[in-house]
Amino acid sequence: MLAAAPPRTYRTPTSLSSSSSSPSAARKLATPSSSAAAPATNNTRALIVKCCAVSPSSQNPKPSPNLLQNVAKTIAGVTTVSLVLNLSNFPALIGSGGGNSGGGGGGGGGGGDGSSGGFWRRLFGPQLVANADEAQSPEWDSHGLPANIVVQLNKLSGFKKYKVSEILFFDRRRWSTVGTEDSFFEMVSLRPGGVYTKAQLQKELETLANCGMFEKVDLEGKTNPDGTLSVTISFTESTWQSADKFRCINVGLMAQSKPIEMDPDMTDKEKMEYFRNQEKDYKRRIDRARPCLLPPPVQREVLLMLREQGKVSARLLQKIRDRVQKWYQDEGYACAQVVNFGNLNTKEVVCEVVEGDITQLVIQFQDKLGNFVEGNTQIPVVKRELPRQLRPGYVFNIEAGKQALRNINSLALFSNIEVNPRPDEKNEGGIIVEIKLKELEQKTAEVSTEWSIVPGRGGYPTLASLQPGGTVTFEHRNLKGLNRSILGSVTTSNFYNPQDDLAFKLEYVHPYLDGVYNPRNRALRVSCFNSRKLSPVFTGGPGADEVPPIWVDRAGMKANITENFNRQSKFTYGLVMEEITTRDERSHICSNGQRVLPSGGVSEDGPPTTLSGTGIDRVAFIQSNITRDNTKFVNGTIVGERNVFQVDQGLGIGSKFPFFNRHQLTLTRFFQLKEVEEGAGKPPPPVLVLHGHYGGCVGDLPSYDAFTLGGPYSVRGYNMGEIGAARQILELAAELRIPVKGTHVYAFAEHGNDLGSSKDVKGNPTEVYRRVGHGLSYGVGVKLGLVRAEYAVDHNSGTGSVFFRFGERF
């Protein structure tokens, strides 16, 4: 007879649309929708996680109040033992009434944050809160009875409003009072200080008795001298037989089985056959279900809990639910919920989980007002940036959503990005991932100006000596919706005579060189340019006379292909053709560096400025660069490692047929010195930075391409090139960063050395301009927003200076 009874199950509340078996195979409780939300990453780019309940009423039928009585009468004709056992277990199958099977509901709580006891509030909250708040009034009546006597609920007056001063929960099995931290305590809507009628108290007791958690539950009052009542709720927790197996399954997206009404006129034999069929249906259901993502170590941990506990109880099931959901939350599965425990009163407990399977990916474009519009960007451009874990067929993970935000943001095409998972109403238990995008303007232009004052006649500035300069920048992005763009900029320090130092750059960027559907991520860049920079090669050493500056103009074109291996690591290779012209401070072409004579005159017999000796070089070479970047941010501080290797290979094309191999290797390590909790507002860890840079050249080497030592991005505390110019260099640096009140202070030490190769540069500019060729510096600094304020000591001269720099050193 017992074998014919349906499988013992308990269904927990969930915040997702979840699959369910027939009510005779598993109990399903109607609960309020809950949601789990992730804060927006910033004002314009947000990851929104909101998993809401969508459960059709047809799949959540309300049980008939007479069903239990009909079942009891039917089974009563078999044996008295069967009547007791089945009565104590049936309520869990139909969602109402008390009994053993219902007790499993206590442990099975699901949804939300999985916090201890919160399940009961979510499970019974709507009904109980309504009961407790129904027609409450601050006015109350004294009980009018002698003090310190126990009063049964049915002995209270139906015309009075009783004030409850204290509520106790008494566990009959443990023969002790339950503390407020117990999950059973939080399911009660009554609160100390509340005012309730007899009808409200009776309704509270009825709800507790019908919830399916207790074998028995009573409510009684004790009179207090001040006219209030102390309420004691005594209960016996439901339990099942011990289990030695645990199974976790994913029941998301499973087809819903429609409940079959049990005819009250069925014979006993027909009813038992009905129960057997329901048991077979449930077994087939769990056999069809997919294994859940819960790893074996966690499953073994749960199995150990079952074996140590002995009998399965409501509290134990809650602990199992909390442990399972904690793993899902910790791993980023924000929409996963434990929805049911099945096979209770067997040797195997089945934990049913709706994990949040992605059924659909929707990409939508919005205008500035938030209206949906047809976007200019082609959908494949966005889709190729999405991680595989965000595609249909995978379980939604919040980390995959964050990765999608970062990848789409790197396109620089959108002003606002949202990743919003929501329940799929057509596929219960499924998730639709919505990506909402607001596009930037395709065409933009900017003008930035600066005014400088130059000395007029007599050395004094005049109104006419105001010299306007600035930069004009324009951009046409996302051509044909394929993220192709044209960018240009023109810069001069004097708009009146722009020919003196006009610099420009025009660049065309063509991503997805192999096609937008090809997973290989290569981009073509073609640019033409003209730039002017002050050469650090022709710089005096400490204490030397001022050296007349040499300007290096570069004009030419460059074409390269960049292949991105991931978001930070890439390989670039291409061809560079340029004309290099060296000029003095009067913009005249000069073939040699200059020196100031003791008489005050200027001598032009310094080191040669170009390879050709004419002041003008033309050269073509192949340039390649590979970057391996594994850095990340921990609470705003960068940690990890970064390696960069660059090679310039001359082709023997140009002035004096230059053939050379110039190579550089940079290694940087950011060591996290202390483990910290990651999250918004959390303090960053202290970091030790170790940095090494090597540069070398074999073959022809013009002076303007010599490696220089000294400066804010070489050896701090020295001017650009103040240590020396060489064919080979080695730089070593160490920096200790300590977080302090929203920023960080740091101490550093750096060393640069020419490895004795300064003499191998044509004309030996290091010796000519009285530079040492090696140098050490150390100091301290503080980061103020984007500015680095540093005090650095030049070890060669023994003097210290204060510097203000923008950006990062490493």
Side-chain angles (χ1 to χ4, degrees):
M1 304 301 291
L2 294 178
R8 280 61 170 160
T9 63
Y10 174 72
R11 178 160 303 279
T12 70
T14 175
S15 60
L16 283 177
S17 301
S18 59
S19 57
S20 65
S21 59
S22 171
S24 59
R27 185 167 71 113
K28 182 171 183 179
L29 298 178
T31 62
S33 302
S34 62
S35 62
T41 55
N42 54 42
N43 291 335
T44 58
R45 294 167 177 82
L47 173 65
I48 302 175
V49 181
K50 184 181 294 181
C51 304
C52 304
V54 180
S55 182
S57 58
S58 61
Q59 296 176 359
N60 196 15
K62 185 176 181 180
S64 169
N66 297 323
L67 180 57
L68 180 60
Q69 293 179 351
N70 296 332
V71 174
K73 292 177 181 178
T74 302
I75 303 180
V78 185
T79 62
T80 304
V81 175
S82 298
L83 171 65
V84 175
L85 292 177
N86 283 286
L87 275 179
S88 63
N89 286 289
F90 257 97
L93 312 178
I94 60 176
S96 65
N100 281 344
S101 181
D113 55 8
S115 58
S116 175
F119 153 68
W120 306 119
R121 176 57 57 198
R122 292 190 296 274
L123 179 58
F124 302 102
Q127 181 178 3
L128 294 183
V129 171
N131 295 341
D133 293 340
E134 180 180 322
Q136 286 197 30
S137 168
E139 299 179 357
W140 56 281
D141 304 309
S142 174
H143 52 68
L145 299 172
N148 299 320
I149 64 171
V150 176
V151 183
Q152 298 299 322
L153 183 58
N154 58 358
K155 299 297 183 180
L156 297 178
S157 171
F159 301 98
K160 289 187 177 183
K161 297 179 180 180
Y162 296 95
K163 183 175 182 179
V164 176
S165 60
E166 185 182 20
I167 300 174
L168 300 177
F169 227 103
F170 185 77
D171 189 340
R172 287 197 183 100
R173 290 192 187 276
R174 301 180 180 181
W175 206 251
S176 63
T177 301
V178 171
T180 56
E181 72 281 354
D182 193 284
S183 57
F184 286 167
F185 190 92
E186 290 196 8
M187 61 161 291
V188 181
S189 68
L190 302 179
R191 289 293 176 264
V195 179
Y196 308 97
T197 63
K198 176 182 178 181
Q200 289 175 318
L201 296 175
Q202 287 176 328
K203 199 169 186 180
E204 178 89 5
L205 178 60
E206 180 183 349
T207 303
L208 295 176
N210 293 336
C211 72
M213 296 182 303
F214 310 113
E215 292 180 6
K216 184 177 181 181
V217 60
D218 293 314
L219 188 151
E220 60 186 17
K222 182 179 179 182
T223 58
N224 295 323
D226 58 0
T228 62
L229 288 179
S230 295
V231 172
T232 299
I233 300 172
S234 56
F235 66 92
T236 301
E237 179 184 2
S238 297
T239 58
W240 299 266
Q241 70 179 53
S242 60
D244 55 11
K245 294 181 182 179
F246 176 76
R247 183 178 178 184
C248 183
I249 59 176
N250 179 8
V251 296
L253 305 183
M254 293 187 67
Q256 303 297 315
S257 56
K258 294 184 179 181
I260 301 176
E261 291 284 339
M262 186 172 64
D263 189 348
D265 297 330
M266 283 183 179
T267 64
D268 294 343
K269 183 177 180 181
E270 290 173 334
K271 290 184 185 299
M272 300 311 296
E273 183 65 25
Y274 171 84
F275 296 145
R276 290 191 186 98
N277 292 335
Q278 293 301 307
E279 185 174 7
K280 291 178 182 178
D281 289 343
Y282 183 71
K283 188 176 186 304
R284 284 194 296 266
R285 173 181 172 79
I286 62 177
D287 288 341
R288 291 196 309 267
R290 295 166 292 159
C292 68
L293 298 176
L294 199 68
V298 179
Q299 296 198 35
R300 288 194 293 268
E301 182 181 339
V302 173
L303 186 58
L304 184 61
M305 294 167 60
L306 285 170
R307 291 174 176 174
E308 289 180 346
Q309 179 75 17
K311 286 189 176 182
V312 177
S313 66
R315 287 186 176 93
L316 176 60
L317 291 179
Q318 185 191 25
K319 291 179 181 178
I320 295 175
R321 179 218 57 182
D322 290 343
R323 181 64 188 94
V324 171
Q325 292 197 160
K326 183 180 185 302
W327 180 85
Y328 277 101
Q329 297 297 323
D330 291 346
E331 296 300 317
Y333 298 103
C335 294
Q337 304 289 339
V338 175
V339 295
N340 185 49
F341 284 102
N343 270 10
L344 301 179
N345 260 350
T346 68
K347 288 294 184 179
E348 180 183 55
V349 172
V350 177
C351 177
E352 298 183 15
V353 183
V354 173
E355 295 183 324
D357 297 274
I358 298 175
T359 57
Q360 191 176 353
L361 176 67
V362 179
I363 299 175
Q364 301 170 313
F365 296 94
Q366 297 177 311
D367 59 17
K368 294 181 179 179
L369 300 178
N371 302 314
F372 292 109
V373 295
E374 183 177 353
N376 175 63
T377 307
Q378 294 191 22
I379 295 297
V381 172
V382 180
K383 280 190 173 181
R384 64 177 290 125
E385 300 299 327
L386 302 179
R388 184 182 301 273
Q389 293 78 8
L390 213 60
R391 299 175 185 175
Y394 288 84
V395 176
F396 176 77
N397 189 287
I398 193 171
E399 293 302 323
K402 292 178 180 178
Q403 183 66 44
L405 280 177
R406 291 191 292 264
N407 292 352
I408 297 175
N409 188 41
S410 67
L411 295 174
L413 297 178
F414 308 104
S415 62
N416 186 75
I417 306 167
E418 291 181 9
V419 178
N420 178 21
R422 64 174 176 84
D424 187 348
E425 297 182 5
K426 296 181 180 179
N427 297 282
E428 191 176 8
I431 294 293
I432 296 177
V433 177
E434 292 180 337
I435 299 178
K436 300 178 182 179
L437 307 169
K438 290 183 181 179
E439 295 179 299
L440 292 168
E441 295 291 338
Q442 280 191 267
K443 301 178 181 179
T444 59
E446 295 181 2
V447 178
S448 60
T449 61
E450 58 183 23
W451 293 78
S452 58
I453 300 176
V454 296
R457 292 183 179 180
Y460 296 100
T462 63
L463 184 62
S465 67
L466 290 174
Q467 182 173 291
T471 301
V472 178
T473 304
F474 62 91
E475 180 178 3
H476 191 169
R477 63 169 67 88
N478 206 13
L479 299 173
K480 295 185 178 181
L482 292 171
N483 200 20
R484 301 169 185 172
S485 59
I486 297 176
L487 307 92
S489 64
V490 179
T491 304
T492 181
S493 60
N494 186 2
F495 280 123
Y496 293 146
N497 295 294
Q499 67 275 10
D500 289 345
D501 66 342
L502 185 67
F504 68 85
K505 182 177 182 180
L506 182 64
E507 182 179 47
Y508 170 69
V509 182
H510 186 108
Y512 321 124
L513 192 61
D514 301 289
V516 70
Y517 293 100
N518 194 311
R520 192 174 184 184
N521 191 4
R522 297 197 302 167
L524 170 68
R525 292 176 180 266
V526 179
S527 62
C528 57
F529 57 87
N530 178 32
S531 64
R532 169 175 288 189
K533 291 184 179 180
L534 187 65
S535 174
V537 174
F538 302 91
T539 301
D545 296 332
E546 183 179 353
V547 177
I550 297 296
W551 295 87
V552 179
D553 292 349
R554 296 177 185 264
M557 64 172 297
K558 181 178 182 179
N560 63 41
I561 295 174
T562 299
E563 182 168 1
N564 294 294
F565 301 119
N566 55 42
R567 190 169 61 93
Q568 295 172 287
S569 299
K570 59 185 179 180
F571 176 47
T572 301
Y573 50 95
L575 175 67
V576 180
M577 296 184 293
E578 60 183 0
E579 179 183 82
I580 300 98
T581 304
T582 55
R583 301 178 182 272
D584 60 19
E585 56 187 342
R586 293 173 296 177
S587 294
H588 296 159
I589 296 175
C590 62
S591 58
N592 293 85
Q594 301 175 342
R595 293 185 300 166
V596 177
L597 299 174
S599 61
V602 176
S603 171
E604 297 186 0
D605 60 350
T609 58
T610 58
L611 189 65
S612 64
T614 63
I616 300 177
D617 278 351
R618 295 180 178 89
V619 63
F621 60 94
I622 295 174
Q623 185 176 78
S624 63
N625 176 296
I626 185 166
T627 301
R628 183 175 181 270
D629 191 342
N630 293 327
T631 58
K632 65 176 183 177
F633 285 94
V634 176
N635 298 341
T637 294
I638 191 170
V639 299
E641 63 180 45
R642 183 190 302 121
N643 304 324
V644 181
F645 181 60
Q646 179 175 318
V647 176
D648 298 342
Q649 178 62 55
L651 302 175
I653 300 174
S655 306
K656 292 206 171 180
F657 309 103
F659 190 82
F660 56 87
N661 180 277
R662 189 165 55 246
H663 44 273
Q664 300 180 69
L665 175 64
T666 303
L667 306 175
T668 308
R669 300 289 184 269
F670 302 86
F671 295 102
Q672 183 175 339
L673 301 181
K674 179 183 178 182
E675 292 296 328
V676 296
E677 181 182 356
E678 297 186 40
K682 302 295 183 181
V687 173
L688 174 64
V689 184
L690 298 181
H691 172 79
H693 173 72
Y694 168 79
C697 181
V698 177
D700 298 317
L701 178 66
S703 59
Y704 51 76
D705 278 338
F707 297 102
T708 59
L709 292 168
Y713 301 102
S714 175
V715 181
R716 286 173 279 189
Y718 297 87
N719 294 324
M720 294 281 291
E722 185 180 346
I723 296 177
R727 183 176 284 269
Q728 293 177 311
I729 64 167
L730 177 64
E731 297 174 355
L732 300 174
E735 182 174 290
L736 179 62
R737 300 174 176 177
I738 306 297
V740 176
K741 294 183 178 179
T743 182
H744 65 260
V745 296
Y746 54 93
F748 61 88
E750 299 185 335
H751 175 74
N753 198 301
D754 65 1
L755 303 177
S757 64
S758 292
K759 63 181 182 300
D760 298 325
V761 178
K762 186 177 287 189
N764 196 355
T766 298
E767 182 180 0
V768 170
Y769 297 116
R770 301 180 183 178
R771 290 176 286 188
V772 180
H774 57 82
L776 172 70
S777 70
Y778 50 87
V780 295
V782 60
K783 190 73 182 296
L784 304 174
L786 299 177
V787 178
R788 288 184 289 129
E790 298 175 341
Y791 176 79
V793 176
D794 169 358
H795 191 263
N796 287 348
S797 63
T799 60
S801 302
V802 176
F803 299 90
F804 291 91
R805 310 289 187 187
F806 284 93
E808 295 289 346
R809 165 65 174 92
F810 306 108

